[in-house]
Amino acid sequence: MLIGLVSCNFWRESRDENPIAKANGNYLYPSDLIGPSQELGDTERWDQSQIEEWVRRELMYTQAKKEGVDQDLQDKLEDYKQSLMIAAYKQKLLEAANILVSEEKIKAYYKDHLNDYQLDHDLYKLAYYLLPNEDNLDAILKDLNQNGNSNFLNNYCVENEQYCVNSGLWVEDLVLSDLDLPQYLWQSSSKFQTYFRDDKLVCVYRIEAKKNDGEAIPLDQVKPQIIQILKFQQERDLLKKKEDELFLNAQNKKNFEIYK
């Protein structure tokens, strides 16, 4: 708040209120020490520490100007302002461009950089549900394996989201261990199966695929990262193209000179 008190002296002197302090020709007013929605209240009582802080700041500011600090600061402020405006303009260009990354580019990048995406552990593509041991398990399995869906599970997962992964998810073997699924059951299968756990819960699961240590990481695992890389490249190219366009236009119109 006190930073703004350094300037605008002409405006302050025209206020319809009496100042409570003065330093080097600058004035401090009661309204400077309260928020815009507050009442002025008793103008005869003010926190002396606030007033003294303002006076000290004014004195330091005046001395800084005498020492010639202001010119160097003005140069830095101008450079900072220029950087902010350029950054804002670039952001405006990117928002207007609404850059999207196509599936074709994602797949092409993935294919060209397979050596950069190698597994150092096994991965399993898993779908599972943890359910109470109920009599309708056979019906649930039948619906899943024949129709790929189950009305019971749809309703169950709304209230028990933490117990459901109803689409293939690539996971490490630690997840299978956490499900208490024995290693001899870590086999790929086209059908959902059941495993009855000791805690009376039933794991209805399907391991859809497996990737071994040393194979390429599945595309859907690294897709978000690839999108970010490609989007950054497209944004960089767009901004470079705009800079080149501005430079060429200015050069043709002789709007700048470079002295050698």
Side-chain angles (χ1 to χ4, degrees):
M1 175 187 71
L2 291 175
I3 293 176
L5 303 180
V6 173
S7 58
C8 303
N9 295 315
F10 174 81
W11 178 78
R12 287 175 178 168
E13 291 172 359
S14 64
R15 289 183 181 178
D16 188 20
E17 57 178 324
N18 295 323
I20 54 176
K22 177 183 177 182
N24 292 330
N26 296 328
Y27 293 88
L28 177 67
Y29 290 87
S31 58
D32 292 325
L33 298 180
I34 64 172
S37 62
Q38 295 175 281
E39 297 292 338
L40 287 177
D42 185 359
T43 58
E44 295 182 0
R45 294 184 179 180
W46 296 104
D47 187 338
Q48 291 301 308
S49 65
Q50 286 182 282
I51 298 173
E52 183 176 320
E53 181 183 353
W54 177 85
V55 171
R56 289 175 179 273
R57 188 178 185 88
E58 288 289 335
L59 296 176
M60 288 292 287
Y61 175 67
T62 301
Q63 188 62 31
K65 288 199 295 183
K66 288 181 180 180
E67 297 292 335
V69 176
D70 56 335
Q71 185 55 52
D72 181 56
L73 183 60
Q74 286 298 326
D75 293 341
K76 291 180 179 179
L77 288 174
E78 184 60 30
D79 183 65
Y80 183 53
K81 176 183 176 182
Q82 187 182 73
S83 298
L84 286 177
M85 290 185 66
I86 291 173
Y89 177 58
K90 287 181 176 180
Q91 185 62 34
K92 183 178 180 180
L93 288 175
L94 295 177
E95 289 175 356
N98 189 27
I99 293 175
L100 300 175
V101 180
S102 68
E103 287 294 324
E104 291 74 16
K105 288 186 177 181
I106 294 171
K107 292 176 181 178
Y109 184 93
Y110 175 73
K111 183 178 179 181
D112 292 340
H113 295 82
L114 276 180
N115 290 336
D116 297 332
Y117 299 110
Q118 299 296 314
L119 286 169
D120 58 6
H121 53 269
D122 294 344
L123 278 184
Y124 299 83
K125 195 171 187 180
L126 176 70
Y128 72 87
Y129 307 88
L130 290 181
L131 308 172
N133 188 0
E134 298 186 357
D135 295 334
N136 61 347
L137 279 176
D138 290 340
I140 292 173
L141 280 174
K142 182 178 179 180
D143 284 342
L144 283 175
N145 289 325
Q146 291 185 356
N147 307 317
N149 198 359
S150 164
N151 291 331
F152 171 83
L153 287 179
N154 290 339
N155 295 328
Y156 174 81
C157 291
V158 170
E159 298 179 358
N160 302 275
E161 185 178 358
Q162 71 276 22
Y163 294 146
C164 302
V165 173
N166 53 18
S167 60
L169 176 70
W170 287 102
V171 300
E172 299 180 22
D173 53 11
L174 180 63
V175 174
L176 299 178
S177 297
D178 288 343
L179 290 174
D180 293 332
L181 196 62
Q183 287 196 23
Y184 70 86
L185 295 177
W186 297 3
Q187 305 294 325
S188 300
S189 172
S190 60
K191 293 186 176 182
F192 277 89
Q193 304 174 68
T194 57
Y195 173 69
F196 294 82
R197 301 193 342 176
D198 292 338
D199 54 8
K200 308 304 180 184
L201 286 177
V202 180
C203 181
V204 177
Y205 73 97
R206 180 176 66 188
I207 297 177
E208 300 174 0
K210 180 185 178 183
K211 288 283 187 179
N212 296 315
D213 180 5
E215 291 189 85
I217 301 174
L219 175 57
D220 50 358
Q221 284 284 96
V222 294
K223 188 174 181 179
Q225 177 186 346
I226 293 176
I227 289 174
Q228 288 301 315
I229 292 172
L230 293 176
K231 187 174 182 181
F232 172 79
Q233 291 176 349
Q234 291 181 221
E235 289 176 345
R236 179 195 59 196
D237 293 344
L238 182 146
L239 295 176
K240 179 64 166 57
K241 182 179 179 180
K242 185 62 179 180
E243 288 181 1
D244 291 344
E245 176 188 321
L246 291 173
F247 185 87
L248 183 60
N249 288 341
Q251 188 177 53
N252 292 337
K253 295 178 181 178
K254 297 183 173 10
N255 288 342
F256 69 88
E257 295 181 53
I258 298 177
Y259 302 105
K260 296 182 179 179

